[in-house]
Amino acid sequence: MAEVTITSRTRAGGMRKLLERYPFLPALAIVVALLLLNGLFSPNSLSYRSLTGLLSTYMALVLLAIAQTYVIYAGDIDLSAGSILSLVNVAIVVLMERWGGGAGAVLLALALGLLLGLGCGLLNGIVVAALRLQAIVATFATSIFFTGFALYILPVAGTPAPALFWRTYGGRLLGVPFVFYILAVLVVLLLVLSRTRLVTQLLAVGDDQQAAFQTGLPVVQVRIKGYLLCGLFSALAAFCITGDTASGDPLVGGRMTLYSVAAVVLGGSALSGGWGTVVGSLLGALTIGLINSVVFFMGTPSEWQNFVQGFAILVVLMAGVLAGRRARA
Amino acid sequence: MTRILSFARQPLVVALVLIALLLYLGQTLSPGFASGGQVLRLLIVASLLGIVAAGQNVVILGGREGIDLSVGGVVSLSAIIAGNVMNGADSGIVPAILACLAAGAFFGLLNGLGVTLLRIPPLVMTLGMLGVLQGLLVVIRMGIPSGRAAPGLSSFVTQPLAAGIPGIIWLWIAIGVLMAFMLHRTVFGHRIYAIGSNEHAAYMAGVPVRLMRVALFMISGMFAAIAGLCLLGYSGSSFANVGEQYTLASIIAVVFGGTSLAGGKGGYTGTMAGAILLVILQSILTTVNIDESGRQMVFGATLLLLMMFYGRGRAMRA
C-alpha cells in the first residue's frame, strides 16, 4: 500500500500535489464562485455588513460541521449532533433566564452548557466505542433521548435569551463585529487541536482500526475522545445559534444534523474515515449557507427555492466526493 | 446447552421474545392492548414500516456501506402522486400504482447511478437525494392540492379483506414470502449476499456488480413508493412530509431484524419482526400516560437497550 502511495506521489502533477497538500481547495473554489455569483445577482450582498450577517447566521452550522468532522475522522458518525445543539440551546437559555441574565449568570450558564455538551459526547462515545453499537443507529437513538431531554427542559420554543447575550453576539467590539472574534478564536483553537496527537490518532483509527489497535493505540478511548470533541463543538454551535436566534427552541437543531454531515463531505473529507480537514468542513458549511443565499438573490420563485437548494447541494456533494478522491489518489 | 443458547441468540428469536414481552407489558399497563382488534391495528402500522424496510433491507444487504436515506422522501412523494392521480376515484387506483412505482424506480435509479458510476458513498448520495425530494415536495404542494385516497384503497388498508385480516397485512405477508424466496432461492438473491460480503470476489465470479447495485436502489425506491401509496390509504389524505419518520425507522427495523449494516448478512423475516417490535414499542409509549418529553427519553433509552441484543461489533484483538 505504502509503495503505491509513494509512486503516485512522485509522479503527481502540480494540480494533484496542490490538492494533496491543501485538500480543501475545491471547497474554497466553490465558496469563492458562490460569493461571486452572490455579488452578480445582488451586489449589495458582498458588502461587509451582509457578509457579517451571513457569518453570524451560519456560524452555528460551521461549528456543528467541525464537531461532526472529528467523529468522521475516526470513521464514526454522530446523528445526534443537532439534538445536542438543541439541548444545550434550551439549557443555557433557561438557566440564564432563571439566574437573572447578568454577566455572571451568562458565563456560568455557558460553562454548564459546555459540560452538558461534553456529557452528551461522552454518552455517545461509550455507546458507540465501548458498547460497540453501530454508530448510525446508536447515535440516532441517543438523539431521540437528547431531544426528549430538551423538551423536558423547555416544552415549547420561545423563552428569550437575555439581551446581554445576543447583543454581544450580534454586536461589535472595538468596532469589529463580534463574530470575527469568534472566527479568530476558532481558527486558533483548530490550529492548536491540529497539532495535538489526538487528531492524528483519530485519523489513524479511521484509516484502519485493526492496524491502529495493533500498533498499540487505545482505539476505544480515542473514539470516545472524538465524540467528546463532537459534543464540545456542538455546545459551542449551540452558543452561536442562541446568539443568532436570541431564544430557546427544543427542536432547533433537528434539521442541522444532516446538513453538518453534508458540510463535512462538501469539504472533501472521507465518510469512511481516516482522511479529511476541518477547514474543508468550515468551507462546506459556508457553501451550504451561500447556496441558500444565492438561490434567494437569484429571484427563484419561493416554491422552487427548496428544490434548487437541494439540487445544488447534491451537485456540490458529488463534486466534494470526486475532488476528495482525486486528492487521495 | 450451547445449541439452545445459539438458538436463543438468533435475532429473529430475540425479536419475537421481545414482541411477546412488550405485548404482555402493554396488556398489563392498559388492559385491551393485546386484544385482537388492537393487534390488527398495530400490524397495519407495522406493515407500512415493514414495506419500506424491505427496500432498505436489500440495499443494506448489498453492502459497501449501503443505506438509503431517501426512502422517507419517496414515501411522501408517492403519497402526493397517488392522491392526485386517483383523487378519490377507484378507477384511478391502477394508474396511481403505476405512477408511484415509476417515480420510486426513477429516484432509485438516480441513487444507483450516483453510487455506481460516480462512486458516491450511498449515505451521501441518498442524503443529497432526500434534499432534492423535500424541495420537490414543496414545489408540488404549492401547485396542486394534496388529493384524496380512493375508497377502494382505504378499505384495502383499513378494512378486513379475507379471514378478518386487512388487505395490507396480506400484502405484507406476500412481500415477506416473496422476499424470502428471492433472497434464498434465486440467483439474484444469492448475488445480493455475494456483493454484500465481498464485492471484489463477486465481481471476479462474474456478478454484474454495478447493475445489481442499481437494481437494489430501484427496488428500495419502489418499495418506498408502495408504502407511500398504502400510507395515503391509511390516512385518507397526505400531508407535508408524512414519510419523513420512515427513513431512520426503517434502518432501525432492519437492524432489529438482525441484518448487519456492514452488508452480506441477514434477511427479511427478521426485519418484519423488527418492524413489529418498533411499532409496538411506540404504541406502548403512547398508551402510557407521560408527556412527550418523557416518552422520547424512554423511547431513546429503550432503543439503546434493545440494540445491546443485536449484532454488536467485535472487540479489538491483536
Side-chain angles (χ1 to χ4, degrees):
Chain A
M1 230 17 217
E3 284 163 75
V4 179
T5 327
I6 289 164
T7 45
S8 84
R9 191 167 288 167
T10 44
R11 270 191 289 131
M15 184 65 193
R16 181 172 285 183
K17 220 177 232 165
L18 213 60
L19 267 179
E20 204 172 301
R21 179 171 270 183
Y22 307 107
F24 51 82
L25 276 183
L28 187 63
I30 292 176
V31 166
V32 171
L34 283 170
L35 274 176
L36 290 179
L37 263 182
N38 243 340
L40 200 65
F41 288 114
S42 154
N44 198 19
S45 71
L46 284 189
S47 68
Y48 182 56
R49 198 190 164 86
S50 6
L51 286 181
T52 310
L54 187 83
L55 197 59
S56 57
T57 307
Y58 286 98
M59 201 62 198
L61 186 59
V62 166
L63 284 163
L64 204 64
I66 290 170
Q68 192 70 256
T69 313
Y70 288 116
V71 274
I72 287 181
Y73 270 178
D76 292 316
I77 197 165
D78 187 355
L79 293 188
S80 73
S83 55
I84 298 178
L85 181 146
S86 309
L87 176 56
V88 174
N89 164 253
V90 295
I92 60 173
V93 165
V94 167
L95 286 178
M96 286 175 190
E97 197 217 12
R98 189 162 297 171
W99 291 337
V106 168
L107 287 178
L108 194 57
L110 292 185
L112 284 177
L114 283 180
L115 279 181
L116 186 58
L118 281 173
C120 294
L122 182 65
L123 177 66
N124 281 330
I126 289 175
V127 160
V128 173
L131 297 178
R132 305 194 299 277
L133 300 184
Q134 285 162 326
I136 291 185
V137 283
T139 56
F140 175 58
T142 57
S143 84
I144 298 177
F145 182 80
F146 297 151
T147 306
F149 195 16
L151 284 167
Y152 173 74
I153 295 176
L154 188 68
V156 281
T159 304
L164 171 71
F165 185 73
W166 56 264
R167 283 228 179 94
T168 310
Y169 181 78
R172 286 158 180 272
L173 192 64
L174 305 173
V176 179
F178 192 73
V179 274
F180 286 106
Y181 290 103
I182 300 180
L183 194 64
V185 172
L186 179 66
V187 168
V188 173
L189 188 61
L190 292 180
L191 270 178
V192 171
L193 269 174
S194 71
R195 305 267 154 148
T196 59
R197 212 177 301 163
L198 178 58
V199 166
T200 320
Q201 288 177 337
L202 283 169
L203 288 168
V205 168
D207 188 48
D208 188 338
Q209 206 166 314
Q210 185 67 36
F213 182 76
Q214 280 165 347
T215 52
L217 279 186
V219 170
V220 174
Q221 283 91 319
V222 170
R223 289 171 76 194
I224 292 180
K225 282 181 199 160
Y227 276 103
L228 280 173
L229 271 183
C230 180
L232 186 72
F233 276 94
S234 302
L236 292 175
F239 298 169
C240 291
I241 206 123
T242 315
D244 189 47
T245 64
S247 66
D249 178 355
L251 303 173
V252 66
R255 286 190 169 248
M256 289 175 71
T257 305
L258 290 179
Y259 277 131
S260 73
V261 177
V264 174
V265 177
L266 285 180
S269 298
L271 262 188
S272 48
W275 204 89
T277 62
V278 275
V279 179
S281 306
L282 185 151
L283 293 168
L286 290 180
T287 304
I288 292 177
L290 282 168
I291 284 177
N292 293 347
S293 144
V294 168
V295 170
F296 179 76
F297 283 123
M298 256 165 53
T300 318
S302 64
E303 69 269 28
W304 284 92
Q305 279 179 10
N306 280 312
F307 177 71
V308 178
Q309 280 163 14
F311 189 74
I313 290 176
L314 178 63
V315 170
V316 287
L317 274 177
M318 290 175 168
V321 170
L322 294 177
R325 187 177 302 138
R326 178 69 49 87
R328 263 170 292 154
Chain B
M1 189 60 202
T2 29
R3 194 184 284 171
I4 297 174
L5 210 64
S6 71
F7 172 76
R9 289 181 66 169
Q10 275 176 21
L12 182 62
V13 179
V14 173
L16 290 176
V17 169
L18 287 171
I19 288 172
L21 282 177
L22 282 179
L23 276 179
Y24 178 75
L25 179 71
Q27 178 71 18
T28 347
L29 288 173
S30 93
F33 184 85
S35 69
Q38 187 59 28
V39 168
L40 274 188
R41 257 191 295 278
L42 285 177
L43 283 177
I44 292 176
V45 179
S47 61
L48 293 168
L49 173 60
I51 293 172
V52 182
Q56 189 72 261
N57 207 167
V58 292
V59 169
I60 290 176
L61 276 178
R64 220 180 75 196
E65 290 152 13
I67 202 160
D68 189 348
L69 293 186
S70 69
V71 285
V74 175
V75 170
S76 303
L77 182 70
S78 163
I80 293 188
I81 292 179
N84 278 284
V85 172
M86 61 180 73
N87 207 8
D90 279 345
S91 59
I93 292 183
V94 175
I97 293 175
L98 293 178
C100 289
L101 283 177
F106 174 70
F107 285 101
L109 177 69
L110 293 184
N111 281 332
L113 289 179
V115 168
T116 53
L117 293 186
L118 299 175
R119 293 192 295 142
I120 312 285
L123 185 85
V124 179
M125 185 66 209
T126 56
L127 171 63
M129 194 56 75
L130 180 66
V132 173
L133 281 165
Q134 280 170 342
L136 200 59
L137 285 170
V138 176
V139 177
I140 296 178
R141 203 159 282 289
M142 291 278 182
I144 51 174
S146 60
R148 282 173 300 124
L153 178 68
S154 293
S155 68
F156 174 79
V157 176
T158 54
Q159 302 303 318
L161 181 76
I165 292 173
I168 186 168
I169 298 179
W170 287 115
L171 174 69
W172 193 29
I173 295 172
I175 288 176
V177 172
L178 275 177
M179 284 283 289
F181 179 76
M182 182 194 83
L183 287 176
H184 304 300
R185 290 279 180 277
T186 66
V187 175
F188 185 77
H190 292 283
R191 284 179 167 176
I192 297 178
Y193 286 101
I195 63 171
S197 38
N198 190 335
E199 182 176 4
H200 190 66
Y203 177 76
M204 292 309 223
V207 176
V209 174
R210 289 184 167 188
L211 208 62
M212 285 290 300
R213 224 175 271 293
V214 174
L216 295 185
F217 277 100
M218 290 177 73
I219 291 175
S220 176
M222 289 195 283
F223 271 123
I226 295 173
L229 188 92
C230 296
L231 186 60
L232 177 76
Y234 182 69
S235 55
S237 62
S238 71
F239 47 91
N241 278 331
V242 323
E244 203 178 274
Q245 47 164 329
Y246 286 97
T247 303
L248 288 162
S250 67
I251 299 170
I252 299 231
V254 170
V255 169
F256 279 178
T259 297
S260 150
L261 283 184
K265 215 186 279 174
Y268 185 59
T269 327
T271 302
M272 294 174 83
I276 297 174
L277 179 62
L278 201 57
V279 168
I280 293 183
L281 182 61
Q282 271 170 324
S283 169
I284 286 187
L285 289 174
T286 351
T287 48
V288 180
N289 189 21
I290 41 176
D291 56 6
E292 181 61 22
S293 61
R295 196 174 295 149
Q296 294 228 22
M297 282 193 273
V298 175
F299 186 48
T302 317
L303 285 182
L304 280 177
L305 196 67
L306 290 180
M307 278 170 204
M308 298 294 296
F309 290 106
Y310 295 96
R312 289 169 54 200
R314 233 178 279 159
M316 287 270 121
R317 290 231 160 87

mmCIF file of all heavy atoms in Angstrom, chain A residues 260-290:
data_model
loop_
_atom_site.group_PDB
_atom_site.id
_atom_site.type_symbol
_atom_site.label_atom_id
_atom_site.label_comp_id
_atom_site.label_asym_id
_atom_site.label_seq_id
_atom_site.Cartn_x
_atom_site.Cartn_y
_atom_site.Cartn_z
ATOM 1 N N SER A 260 -24.836 19.046 8.690
ATOM 2 C CA SER A 260 -23.455 19.004 9.167
ATOM 3 C C SER A 260 -22.690 17.867 8.488
ATOM 4 O O SER A 260 -21.525 18.030 8.114
ATOM 5 C CB SER A 260 -23.416 18.853 10.693
ATOM 6 O OG SER A 260 -23.781 17.553 11.084
ATOM 7 N N VAL A 261 -23.366 16.730 8.290
ATOM 8 C CA VAL A 261 -22.717 15.630 7.565
ATOM 9 C C VAL A 261 -22.414 16.067 6.138
ATOM 10 O O VAL A 261 -21.315 15.851 5.612
ATOM 11 C CB VAL A 261 -23.617 14.365 7.557
ATOM 12 C CG1 VAL A 261 -22.975 13.257 6.746
ATOM 13 C CG2 VAL A 261 -23.881 13.894 8.968
ATOM 14 N N ALA A 262 -23.402 16.721 5.510
ATOM 15 C CA ALA A 262 -23.202 17.191 4.136
ATOM 16 C C ALA A 262 -22.019 18.142 4.058
ATOM 17 O O ALA A 262 -21.196 18.069 3.136
ATOM 18 C CB ALA A 262 -24.478 17.868 3.621
ATOM 19 N N ALA A 263 -21.907 19.053 5.052
ATOM 20 C CA ALA A 263 -20.818 20.029 5.031
ATOM 21 C C ALA A 263 -19.461 19.341 5.098
ATOM 22 O O ALA A 263 -18.513 19.738 4.418
ATOM 23 C CB ALA A 263 -20.975 21.009 6.202
ATOM 24 N N VAL A 264 -19.362 18.282 5.912
ATOM 25 C CA VAL A 264 -18.095 17.559 6.025
ATOM 26 C C VAL A 264 -17.730 16.932 4.677
ATOM 27 O O VAL A 264 -16.579 17.012 4.224
ATOM 28 C CB VAL A 264 -18.186 16.462 7.114
ATOM 29 C CG1 VAL A 264 -16.928 15.617 7.122
ATOM 30 C CG2 VAL A 264 -18.395 17.088 8.475
ATOM 31 N N VAL A 265 -18.735 16.339 4.019
ATOM 32 C CA VAL A 265 -18.466 15.712 2.720
ATOM 33 C C VAL A 265 -18.104 16.777 1.681
ATOM 34 O O VAL A 265 -17.185 16.598 0.876
ATOM 35 C CB VAL A 265 -19.694 14.901 2.253
ATOM 36 C CG1 VAL A 265 -19.453 14.315 0.882
ATOM 37 C CG2 VAL A 265 -19.983 13.804 3.251
ATOM 38 N N LEU A 266 -18.825 17.909 1.717
ATOM 39 C CA LEU A 266 -18.518 19.016 0.805
ATOM 40 C C LEU A 266 -17.071 19.445 0.960
ATOM 41 O O LEU A 266 -16.412 19.825 0.001
ATOM 42 C CB LEU A 266 -19.397 20.228 1.115
ATOM 43 C CG LEU A 266 -20.843 20.180 0.691
ATOM 44 C CD1 LEU A 266 -21.542 21.467 1.087
ATOM 45 C CD2 LEU A 266 -20.904 20.004 -0.796
ATOM 46 N N GLY A 267 -16.579 19.393 2.187
ATOM 47 C CA GLY A 267 -15.212 19.814 2.456
ATOM 48 C C GLY A 267 -14.175 18.809 1.997
ATOM 49 O O GLY A 267 -12.989 19.023 2.180
ATOM 50 N N GLY A 268 -14.623 17.702 1.408
ATOM 51 C CA GLY A 268 -13.691 16.749 0.828
ATOM 52 C C GLY A 268 -13.239 15.649 1.769
ATOM 53 O O GLY A 268 -12.414 14.829 1.390
ATOM 54 N N SER A 269 -13.764 15.612 3.007
ATOM 55 C CA SER A 269 -13.355 14.540 3.918
ATOM 56 C C SER A 269 -14.038 13.233 3.529
ATOM 57 O O SER A 269 -15.130 13.249 2.954
ATOM 58 C CB SER A 269 -13.748 14.879 5.366
ATOM 59 O OG SER A 269 -13.093 16.047 5.775
ATOM 60 N N ALA A 270 -13.368 12.115 3.850
ATOM 61 C CA ALA A 270 -13.933 10.809 3.512
ATOM 62 C C ALA A 270 -14.854 10.356 4.629
ATOM 63 O O ALA A 270 -14.456 10.350 5.793
ATOM 64 C CB ALA A 270 -12.824 9.791 3.296
ATOM 65 N N LEU A 271 -16.104 9.972 4.274
ATOM 66 C CA LEU A 271 -17.046 9.490 5.285
ATOM 67 C C LEU A 271 -16.553 8.205 5.928
ATOM 68 O O LEU A 271 -16.933 7.871 7.040
ATOM 69 C CB LEU A 271 -18.402 9.223 4.643
ATOM 70 C CG LEU A 271 -19.474 10.285 4.766
ATOM 71 C CD1 LEU A 271 -20.782 9.747 4.250
ATOM 72 C CD2 LEU A 271 -19.634 10.733 6.197
ATOM 73 N N SER A 272 -15.723 7.465 5.192
ATOM 74 C CA SER A 272 -15.243 6.194 5.731
ATOM 75 C C SER A 272 -14.142 6.418 6.768
ATOM 76 O O SER A 272 -13.684 5.476 7.398
ATOM 77 C CB SER A 272 -14.735 5.326 4.591
ATOM 78 O OG SER A 272 -13.891 6.082 3.763
ATOM 79 N N GLY A 273 -13.718 7.659 6.941
ATOM 80 C CA GLY A 273 -12.738 7.965 7.974
ATOM 81 C C GLY A 273 -11.316 7.952 7.478
ATOM 82 O O GLY A 273 -11.027 7.551 6.351
ATOM 83 N N GLY A 274 -10.419 8.435 8.343
ATOM 84 C CA GLY A 274 -9.002 8.361 8.037
ATOM 85 C C GLY A 274 -8.472 9.472 7.159
ATOM 86 O O GLY A 274 -7.271 9.541 6.901
ATOM 87 N N TRP A 275 -9.318 10.333 6.693
ATOM 88 C CA TRP A 275 -8.847 11.363 5.774
ATOM 89 C C TRP A 275 -9.775 12.562 5.773
ATOM 90 O O TRP A 275 -10.963 12.408 5.594
ATOM 91 C CB TRP A 275 -8.785 10.786 4.354
ATOM 92 C CG TRP A 275 -7.824 11.530 3.512
ATOM 93 C CD1 TRP A 275 -6.493 11.275 3.378
ATOM 94 C CD2 TRP A 275 -8.112 12.667 2.725
ATOM 95 N NE1 TRP A 275 -5.945 12.197 2.550
ATOM 96 C CE2 TRP A 275 -6.891 13.052 2.131
ATOM 97 C CE3 TRP A 275 -9.272 13.391 2.458
ATOM 98 C CZ2 TRP A 275 -6.808 14.156 1.283
ATOM 99 C CZ3 TRP A 275 -9.187 14.484 1.628
ATOM 100 C CH2 TRP A 275 -7.962 14.853 1.045
ATOM 101 N N GLY A 276 -9.230 13.758 5.973
ATOM 102 C CA GLY A 276 -10.076 14.935 5.916
ATOM 103 C C GLY A 276 -9.437 16.144 6.555
ATOM 104 O O GLY A 276 -8.333 16.063 7.093
ATOM 105 N N THR A 277 -10.137 17.282 6.456
ATOM 106 C CA THR A 277 -9.656 18.504 7.084
ATOM 107 C C THR A 277 -10.830 19.248 7.708
ATOM 108 O O THR A 277 -11.939 19.193 7.183
ATOM 109 C CB THR A 277 -9.021 19.467 6.055
ATOM 110 O OG1 THR A 277 -10.032 19.826 5.113
ATOM 111 C CG2 THR A 277 -7.854 18.833 5.341
ATOM 112 N N VAL A 278 -10.568 19.930 8.816
ATOM 113 C CA VAL A 278 -11.641 20.726 9.421
ATOM 114 C C VAL A 278 -11.889 21.991 8.615
ATOM 115 O O VAL A 278 -13.016 22.477 8.553
ATOM 116 C CB VAL A 278 -11.338 21.129 10.879
ATOM 117 C CG1 VAL A 278 -11.752 20.024 11.806
ATOM 118 C CG2 VAL A 278 -9.909 21.501 11.074
ATOM 119 N N VAL A 279 -10.817 22.531 7.991
ATOM 120 C CA VAL A 279 -11.009 23.735 7.174
ATOM 121 C C VAL A 279 -12.009 23.447 6.059
ATOM 122 O O VAL A 279 -12.876 24.266 5.746
ATOM 123 C CB VAL A 279 -9.657 24.206 6.591
ATOM 124 C CG1 VAL A 279 -9.856 25.434 5.732
ATOM 125 C CG2 VAL A 279 -8.684 24.498 7.713
ATOM 126 N N GLY A 280 -11.890 22.250 5.470
ATOM 127 C CA GLY A 280 -12.839 21.849 4.440
ATOM 128 C C GLY A 280 -14.271 21.883 4.967
ATOM 129 O O GLY A 280 -15.174 22.393 4.298
ATOM 130 N N SER A 281 -14.480 21.366 6.179
ATOM 131 C CA SER A 281 -15.831 21.341 6.750
ATOM 132 C C SER A 281 -16.347 22.754 6.981
ATOM 133 O O SER A 281 -17.521 23.039 6.749
ATOM 134 C CB SER A 281 -15.835 20.584 8.068
ATOM 135 O OG SER A 281 -15.278 19.318 7.889
ATOM 136 N N LEU A 282 -15.445 23.636 7.442
ATOM 137 C CA LEU A 282 -15.816 25.038 7.648
ATOM 138 C C LEU A 282 -16.307 25.633 6.330
ATOM 139 O O LEU A 282 -17.367 26.250 6.252
ATOM 140 C CB LEU A 282 -14.588 25.793 8.167
ATOM 141 C CG LEU A 282 -14.692 27.246 8.591
ATOM 142 C CD1 LEU A 282 -13.645 27.513 9.656
ATOM 143 C CD2 LEU A 282 -14.474 28.192 7.442
ATOM 144 N N LEU A 283 -15.511 25.387 5.259
ATOM 145 C CA LEU A 283 -15.903 25.902 3.952
ATOM 146 C C LEU A 283 -17.181 25.220 3.457
ATOM 147 O O LEU A 283 -18.019 25.858 2.821
ATOM 148 C CB LEU A 283 -14.767 25.684 2.949
ATOM 149 C CG LEU A 283 -13.501 26.501 3.235
ATOM 150 C CD1 LEU A 283 -12.353 26.016 2.380
ATOM 151 C CD2 LEU A 283 -13.775 27.974 2.975
ATOM 152 N N GLY A 284 -17.312 23.925 3.773
ATOM 153 C CA GLY A 284 -18.517 23.199 3.365
ATOM 154 C C GLY A 284 -19.761 23.811 3.982
ATOM 155 O O GLY A 284 -20.788 23.971 3.311
ATOM 156 N N ALA A 285 -19.676 24.161 5.271
ATOM 157 C CA ALA A 285 -20.829 24.775 5.942
ATOM 158 C C ALA A 285 -21.146 26.131 5.307
ATOM 159 O O ALA A 285 -22.309 26.471 5.080
ATOM 160 C CB ALA A 285 -20.548 24.938 7.428
ATOM 161 N N LEU A 286 -20.094 26.910 4.991
ATOM 162 C CA LEU A 286 -20.329 28.202 4.343
ATOM 163 C C LEU A 286 -20.955 28.000 2.964
ATOM 164 O O LEU A 286 -21.788 28.790 2.530
ATOM 165 C CB LEU A 286 -19.021 28.990 4.217
ATOM 166 C CG LEU A 286 -18.462 29.517 5.532
ATOM 167 C CD1 LEU A 286 -17.167 30.281 5.287
ATOM 168 C CD2 LEU A 286 -19.476 30.429 6.215
ATOM 169 N N THR A 287 -20.521 26.917 2.268
ATOM 170 C CA THR A 287 -21.098 26.629 0.949
ATOM 171 C C THR A 287 -22.608 26.463 1.050
ATOM 172 O O THR A 287 -23.357 27.027 0.249
ATOM 173 C CB THR A 287 -20.491 25.331 0.373
ATOM 174 O OG1 THR A 287 -19.082 25.471 0.326
ATOM 175 C CG2 THR A 287 -21.032 25.051 -1.012
ATOM 176 N N ILE A 288 -23.041 25.693 2.063
ATOM 177 C CA ILE A 288 -24.485 25.485 2.230
ATOM 178 C C ILE A 288 -25.191 26.817 2.471
ATOM 179 O O ILE A 288 -26.216 27.118 1.861
ATOM 180 C CB ILE A 288 -24.747 24.497 3.382
ATOM 181 C CG1 ILE A 288 -24.258 23.107 2.967
ATOM 182 C CG2 ILE A 288 -26.232 24.445 3.738
ATOM 183 C CD1 ILE A 288 -24.385 22.054 4.033
ATOM 184 N N GLY A 289 -24.572 27.664 3.337
ATOM 185 C CA GLY A 289 -25.157 28.978 3.599
ATOM 186 C C GLY A 289 -25.220 29.828 2.340
ATOM 187 O O GLY A 289 -26.233 30.471 2.053
ATOM 188 N N LEU A 290 -24.120 29.810 1.573
ATOM 189 C CA LEU A 290 -24.062 30.650 0.366
ATOM 190 C C LEU A 290 -25.037 30.155 -0.702
ATOM 191 O O LEU A 290 -25.617 30.961 -1.430
ATOM 192 C CB LEU A 290 -22.638 30.654 -0.193
ATOM 193 C CG LEU A 290 -21.674 31.571 0.566
ATOM 194 C CD1 LEU A 290 -20.244 31.312 0.155
ATOM 195 C CD2 LEU A 290 -22.044 33.020 0.329
#
